[in-house]
Every structure is written in structure tokens, then in C-alpha cells.
Amino acid sequence: MSKLYIIGTGLAPDLITLRAIEALKSVKSVFIEQYTGLLMLNENIKEILKDKEVRRLSRRDLEDLGGKEIFDSLKDGDVAILVPGDPLVATTHTSIIVEAYKRGYKVEVVPGISIIPNALTMAGLMIYKMGKPVTLVYPKEGIIYDYPYDVIKDNDSRNLHTVLLLELDMERNVIMKVNEAVNILFMMEDIRKEGVVKPTRKGVAVAALGSKNQIICFNTLENLKKLPINEIPQTLIITSPKLHFMEEEMLKVMNNEYCKPLK
Amino acid sequence: MSKLYIIGTGLAPDLITLRAIEALKSVKSVFIEQYTGLLMLNENIKEILKDKEVRRLSRRDLEDLGGKEIFDSLKDGDVAILVPGDPLVATTHTSIIVEAYKRGYKVEVVPGISIIPNALTMAGLMIYKMGKPVTLVYPKEGIIYDYPYDVIKDNDSRNLHTVLLLELDMERNVIMKVNEAVNILFMMEDIRKEGVVKPTRKGVAVAALGSKNQIICFNTLENLKKLPINEIPQTLIITSPKLHFMEEEMLKVMNNEYCKPLK
């Protein structure tokens, strides 16, 4: 039986692993998934892909058609799906894995460097203080989905950091930025009025993590909102109410080094 | 001024990134840190190290001597510290970074694939259900440090998974295994009697994650305790009280594929 590789490509072209490259070389066809994140390919990888059958996977291919094309290709040989970041962060990839096993195929996951927990640690925050992460989405038809407010509040009560993954759908060209995220949080505050996300509250804006243009800015939410950050993808961390002194020192260092919009 | 690279080598020799390899090539001297984890080096890396000044770093070098040797080397050119996994998970490395910045050196962190969150996602559990992680240590002088019991209880109340990092100090040859970890949790239960870690409670034993011998076993704690798992390093995940059906499906798949001690 052929084998399905789910390969994480990491956060930037040169953050791909040697194992990912070897796995990619070994397969007959390659699917590229680019809707759950930004997929950036290294020159080595582009060179390898030249000799392969390469197709793009849409959300519809995976979610509505159940990966039919992938399973068709598996009949003819090994297949790889290239996924930005770490491949198991999105549930849509786990569905494909479960289905592949049910059909008797071998599956191998090649892990990749992901925004979680690296947005946290690269900013200088402690992994032991990472609370439950949550995704922040745009208001839909005028309705604000305020679950992230509850997650921040709950993480606050335990002095934990909240990593907010910002809505991203490359297919629909939806890429939330930190300033929009802060706005949405302020809208929640206006409704809930529990003092969880005041303008003076501190957070870390992270953009293009792992790339040469990486941005890490530690500041109040009202100041983060004003920063002209265009690099994508972006993530916002709401820091825990009390910081450890080592976290404060590292945040200062990282801010000095990587907060380019303030320079 | 010279530059200090803190390079994560990932979980297994071939999980090193292209950026790590390039950074390593560029430096004059290399320090190898092997006490916070198992450092396994790929053949490429060994080849590169042949032409460099390579020294091992002990915990004492970093924590008591404040990295004196590192700063002495930085006077003569760029320096790399090779660290297992992701370099910013251990606070001892952040101290060196802060110190290097204070002295005016440039610092670059090359992220690596870490046990967090990969132990969780590779087992098939959802990143959105990751609770605060905690380290489990051996009883010291007869005293059991039962803070992890509180963390599990607290994560339980939010239906989150708890990743237990098991005490590891390669210098003292202290490497906690899952069966010891389960025993320590049962001792806590005997004292606290709050029903948090009963023998029938489920968890995931993870060993040698990312290597060819990777083990992932999903079972009750009393059964995990009996499994002959020798591969290191090991991690124990206490799964959340209620699993999502996709998590249950993936756990079954991963258990079938990677729980070698049951085969």
C-alpha cells in the first residue's frame, strides 16, 4: 500500500526540516495546502517539485470532497501534502489522516515549527505560563463571537498568557491584523464591561514570525493598535496580568530588536 | 560586534532546519548544551562541527559561571549554542540572551521543533484544548511536590489536556519515565484523595517523540504504568475529562500505529 505524508513546512522557507525534504523527494505526487496559512517554499523544495505532479488543494477539496483527489493519487504511489507550519494544528488534516488509515494506507506526519508555542517563546514569554489558545474571528453578520473574551478572562485568573490566533483564510483573502484584532477586543469590552481588555492592558504583536522581517512589539493594546504593521501572518498575545521579571527583561530585549515599526 | 546564535536542533537528528545548519556553518565556535534534553546530531552537523572549536556546556557553566566561556569566545567571533528541541523553552537560555544583549552582542534565536506542543498534536489531541503545561519532579527528601496535581485539577475543570514534562537532567543521569510519573501521581492521589488521578483515568504515554522509535500509547494510567517503555525522553499527557470525537479517532489511530509495547 502507498504512503501518505503530511509535511509541515515551518514558519519560513528555511525553517523546513531535513526530514521534510527527504520525504518530499520520495513521493510521486504532491498536494499543496495554502488556505490554513502562508506556505513559503525554499529554493530546494521548488527544485524538487519540478519533477513531480503538483496540485493545489482547496478547502473544498479537503472538507467537502473528503480528499477524493488525494485518495485517487494514493492508488498510484506515495503522496505528500505540504502544509504551512505544523500540520496537526488544523483539524482538517487530522480528518484526512483518520480516513487514510481507515482505507489501509500508511501515514507519516512530519512535524513543522508552528506559531504555537513559538510566538510565545520568541517574544520571551515562559512556556509554563501558556494558557489555552483561542482563535479570534471577525464579527459575522453583525454578531461578535465573544468566546475569546472568556478565554482571556479565565487565563487571567490563573496568570497565564493568551495566544490569539487571528482569523486567516488565504482562499478568501481574509487575513486579520493586530490592529483589527485589538478593535474587536475593544468592541467586546464595550459590550461585556468586565475590564478584561482595557486600552492600557499589555500585549505582544507578532508578525511574520520566523522570517527575516519578523516583528515583535510589546506595548499597551492602544499603542499596538496604532502601529503600522503590514507583515503577515499576525498574532496577538495578551500577556498575563503579572509578568515574571525574566519575562519583562526578555520582552524589552525582543521589543528593542524586533519592533521595527517603532524605529 | 560578534553574534550569538541559540540554535534549536529539534526532536531528532533529521528534524533540524536548514536555517540551523546555515547558522552553524557561519560561526567560529560551538557550544553544545546537553543537560536540558537529549541532543542528537545529524551526520551533516557532525561534519560541520569537525572544523570548529566545540565545547560542552555544563549546567554550572551557564547558571553559576554566567556563561563566562561563551562571552570569552564571543570576543573572537560568532558563537553558536546548540540546544535540544526549542531553545527558548528553558529559562536558562533566556538569561544568556538577556546578558548577551546587555553586553552589546547581536543575538539570533533559531527555533526548533519542541516537545510542546508536538507531544500533544502528534498524539492526535487538539491544540485548542492544551492547558497550562507543568513539570513533574521526583520526591525530594521524602517530600512530594504536588503542584502538578493542582494543575491537572484546574485544567480538568476547563476540559483541557495537561502535558507533564518529566524531570530530566542528563548531567545527573536523571530521566523520569512514564511508569515512575504515574506512580508519583498515584502517591499524590493517596495524599490528596480528590479523585483527580484515579487508576482508570486515561492518558497518553509519549516516548522518543519524532524519532524512528517514537511511542504513543493511549490507555488508562494503570495500564500505561505496566508498559515496558524504554525509549527516552518520555512525556505523559493527562487527557481532558471529555474528548472530542475527532480526538478519540486520532488517538486510536496513533495508538495502533505507535504503541509498540502493546504489539
Side-chain angles (χ1 to χ4, degrees):
Chain A
M1 285 294 261
S2 3
K3 190 169 178 178
L4 174 64
Y5 290 90
I6 318 274
I7 302 177
T9 57
L11 294 167
D14 63 342
L15 286 177
I16 196 161
T17 64
L18 295 183
R19 188 182 298 174
I21 295 173
E22 288 310 310
L24 198 57
K25 279 183 191 164
S26 76
V27 300
K28 196 164 170 288
S29 41
V30 178
F31 289 88
I32 295 186
E33 190 276 87
Q34 313 190 263
Y35 59 85
T36 63
L38 282 177
L39 189 72
M40 289 159 290
L41 297 177
N42 168 277
E43 288 306 318
N44 291 12
I45 299 296
K46 285 184 191 159
E47 201 54 42
I48 298 167
L49 291 182
K50 271 187 190 165
D51 311 321
K52 315 267 177 190
E53 219 178 296
V54 179
R55 273 162 292 177
R56 282 172 198 277
L57 270 183
S58 68
R59 186 179 290 266
R60 186 165 171 268
D61 287 333
L62 268 178
E63 293 180 359
D64 300 342
L65 307 177
K68 185 179 177 304
E69 265 200 281
I70 299 167
F71 293 113
D72 286 346
S73 295
L74 270 167
K75 288 176 193 152
D76 305 327
D78 294 352
V79 170
I81 307 179
L82 283 182
V83 178
D86 188 67
L88 293 187
V89 164
T91 45
T92 159
H93 306 127
T94 56
S95 317
I96 285 290
I97 293 172
V98 168
E99 184 60 29
Y101 269 105
K102 280 185 185 160
R103 295 182 185 219
Y105 294 108
K106 283 190 167 294
V107 178
E108 186 178 329
V109 176
V110 179
I113 291 174
S114 163
I115 199 89
I116 293 176
N118 285 288
L120 194 88
T121 58
M122 293 292 279
L125 300 169
M126 287 179 178
I127 195 84
Y128 289 109
K129 288 180 62 187
M130 175 167 161
K132 174 188 162 82
V134 68
T135 296
L136 189 68
V137 297
Y138 287 105
K140 302 273 186 290
E141 296 168 9
I143 295 166
I144 296 179
Y145 175 69
D146 69 351
Y147 178 62
Y149 193 91
D150 293 301
V151 173
I152 298 169
K153 187 180 162 189
D154 192 47
N155 283 335
D156 279 359
S157 71
R158 302 148 83 205
N159 199 38
L160 301 177
H161 307 299
T162 307
V163 177
L164 292 165
L165 298 169
L166 308 188
E167 185 170 5
L168 185 143
D169 184 333
M170 298 304 291
E171 248 170 41
R172 294 185 296 124
N173 203 26
V174 168
I175 308 169
M176 191 189 289
K177 294 187 173 171
V178 165
N179 54 14
E180 298 174 287
V182 172
N183 255 336
I184 296 170
L185 290 175
F186 286 170
M187 282 192 245
M188 290 179 198
E189 185 59 50
D190 280 346
I191 298 168
R192 301 280 299 262
K193 295 191 191 341
E194 296 173 46
V196 172
V197 279
K198 292 183 209 161
T200 54
R201 171 115 208 214
K202 289 191 168 172
V204 187
V206 178
L209 186 72
S211 82
K212 300 285 167 206
N213 303 317
Q214 159 177 305
I215 285 172
I216 298 173
C217 295
F218 173 55
N219 217 313
T220 59
L221 294 180
E222 76 193 318
N223 286 335
L224 291 181
K225 199 179 125 171
K226 292 176 206 151
L227 292 179
I229 305 177
N230 296 310
E231 290 75 3
I232 53 167
Q234 301 190 8
T235 309
L236 174 63
I237 303 168
I238 305 293
T239 50
S240 74
K242 277 193 184 171
L243 293 171
H244 187 274
F245 76 93
M246 275 301 300
E247 290 182 317
E248 284 190 347
E249 284 204 296
M250 269 292 277
L251 281 166
K252 259 183 233 165
V253 162
M254 295 322 241
N255 188 71
N256 280 341
E257 192 69 15
Y258 296 110
C259 190
K260 289 159 201 160
L262 283 183
K263 282 176 185 170
Chain B
M1 286 296 263
S2 0
K3 190 167 178 179
L4 174 64
Y5 290 90
I6 318 271
I7 303 178
T9 57
L11 294 166
D14 62 343
L15 286 177
I16 197 161
T17 63
L18 295 182
R19 187 183 299 174
I21 295 172
E22 288 311 308
L24 199 57
K25 278 183 191 164
S26 76
V27 301
K28 196 164 169 287
S29 40
V30 179
F31 289 88
I32 295 187
E33 190 276 88
Q34 312 191 264
Y35 61 85
T36 63
L38 282 176
L39 189 72
M40 289 160 290
L41 297 177
N42 170 276
E43 288 307 318
N44 291 12
I45 299 295
K46 286 184 191 160
E47 201 56 41
I48 298 167
L49 291 182
K50 270 187 190 165
D51 311 320
K52 314 266 177 190
E53 220 178 295
V54 179
R55 274 163 293 177
R56 280 169 200 280
L57 270 183
S58 67
R59 183 180 293 266
R60 188 167 169 268
D61 287 333
L62 268 179
E63 293 180 0
D64 300 341
L65 306 178
K68 186 180 177 303
E69 267 200 279
I70 299 167
F71 293 112
D72 286 347
S73 295
L74 270 168
K75 289 175 192 151
D76 305 327
D78 294 353
V79 170
I81 307 179
L82 283 182
V83 177
D86 187 67
L88 292 187
V89 164
T91 45
T92 160
H93 305 126
T94 55
S95 317
I96 285 290
I97 292 172
V98 169
E99 185 59 29
Y101 270 105
K102 280 184 185 162
R103 295 181 184 220
Y105 294 108
K106 283 192 166 290
V107 178
E108 185 178 331
V109 176
V110 180
I113 291 174
S114 162
I115 199 89
I116 291 175
N118 286 287
L120 194 89
T121 58
M122 292 290 280
L125 299 169
M126 287 178 178
I127 196 82
Y128 288 108
K129 288 181 61 187
M130 177 167 160
K132 174 186 160 84
V134 68
T135 295
L136 188 68
V137 297
Y138 286 106
K140 302 274 187 288
E141 297 169 7
I143 295 165
I144 295 177
Y145 176 70
D146 67 352
Y147 177 62
Y149 193 92
D150 293 303
V151 173
I152 298 168
K153 187 180 159 187
D154 193 45
N155 282 334
D156 279 359
S157 71
R158 293 158 166 91
N159 200 38
L160 301 176
H161 308 300
T162 308
V163 177
L164 292 163
L165 297 169
L166 309 187
E167 187 171 3
L168 185 141
D169 185 335
M170 298 305 291
E171 248 172 39
R172 294 185 297 125
N173 203 26
V174 167
I175 307 169
M176 191 188 288
K177 293 188 174 171
V178 165
N179 54 15
E180 297 173 287
V182 172
N183 253 335
I184 295 168
L185 291 176
F186 286 170
M187 282 192 248
M188 291 178 196
E189 184 58 51
D190 280 347
I191 298 166
R192 301 279 299 262
K193 295 192 190 350
E194 297 172 46
V196 172
V197 279
K198 292 184 210 161
T200 52
R201 171 116 206 213
K202 287 189 169 174
V204 187
V206 176
L209 187 73
S211 82
K212 300 284 167 207
N213 304 316
Q214 161 176 302
I215 285 172
I216 299 173
C217 296
F218 173 55
N219 216 313
T220 60
L221 293 180
E222 78 192 318
N223 286 335
L224 292 180
K225 196 179 128 174
K226 291 177 204 148
L227 292 180
I229 306 177
N230 296 310
E231 290 74 4
I232 53 167
Q234 301 190 9
T235 310
L236 175 61
I237 303 168
I238 305 293
T239 49
S240 75
K242 275 192 185 173
L243 294 171
H244 187 274
F245 76 93
M246 274 303 299
E247 291 182 316
E248 285 191 347
E249 283 204 297
M250 269 292 278
L251 281 167
K252 260 184 232 164
V253 161
M254 295 321 241
N255 189 70
N256 281 340
E257 192 70 16
Y258 295 111
C259 190
K260 290 161 200 158
L262 283 183
K263 280 176 185 171

